[in-house]
């Protein structure tokens, strides 16, 4: 697998971490499953980052970006939470299938 692909996959996995954290906090009935998914995703992102020639080129959202996104997600109205969760998981599944 090319270095560019590894960078892109690792960056994408790091980006999904904030979304998975939101799902874990919101979708409490599946907390353990989402926690496991989040841990595995972070582990995979770190592993792939170590395989990249220049690991610093992997884009990891900074704390301010993560907090801003998290705040935006948390402001979602209750009636749209399930739709938001569904869309995040669908996008995550699509991302994983494509990679």
């Amino acid at each position: 697998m090319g270095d560019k692909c590894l960078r892109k996959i690792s960056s994408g996995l790091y980006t999904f971490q904030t979304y998975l954290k939101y799902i874990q906090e919101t979708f409490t009935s599946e907390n353990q499953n989402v926690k496991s998914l989040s841990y595995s995703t972070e582990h995979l992102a770190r592993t792939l980052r170590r395989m990249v020639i220049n690991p610093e080129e992997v884009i990891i959202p900074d704390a301010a970006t993560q907090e801003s996104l998290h705040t935006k997600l948390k402001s979602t109205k209750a009636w749209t939470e399930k739709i938001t969760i569904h869309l995040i998981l669908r996008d995550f599944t699509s991302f994983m299938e494509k990679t």
Side-chain angles (χ1 to χ4, degrees):
M1 189 177 295
D3 196 65
K4 183 177 179 180
C5 289
L6 290 174
R7 273 197 320 269
K8 188 171 183 176
I9 294 168
S10 185
S11 295
L13 292 171
Y14 277 114
T15 298
F16 269 105
Q17 283 301 109
T18 304
Y19 292 101
L20 293 174
K21 179 182 176 187
Y22 164 74
I23 293 173
Q24 186 178 337
E25 292 172 354
T26 308
F27 197 27
T28 53
S29 65
E30 292 295 325
N31 185 283
Q32 196 56 45
N33 290 334
V34 179
K35 185 183 270 189
S36 176
L37 176 62
S38 182
Y39 173 80
S40 298
T41 301
E42 184 177 1
H43 179 72
L44 181 58
R46 278 195 319 264
T47 301
L48 293 174
R49 185 172 184 254
R50 285 194 298 264
M51 295 170 67
V52 173
I53 294 169
N54 294 313
E56 65 278 356
E57 291 180 1
V58 171
I59 298 167
I60 302 174
D62 61 29
T65 301
Q66 291 178 33
E67 186 59 36
S68 174
L69 176 57
H70 189 257
T71 300
K72 183 178 178 183
L73 288 168
K74 291 298 280 182
S75 71
T76 303
K77 302 292 181 209
W79 61 275
T80 61
E81 280 181 351
K82 287 186 181 184
I83 294 169
T84 302
I85 290 170
H86 174 77
L87 292 174
I88 290 168
L89 291 174
R90 187 197 66 194
D91 288 350
F92 181 73
T93 301
S94 176
F95 175 81
M96 293 304 288
E97 288 174 349
K98 289 176 183 173
T99 57

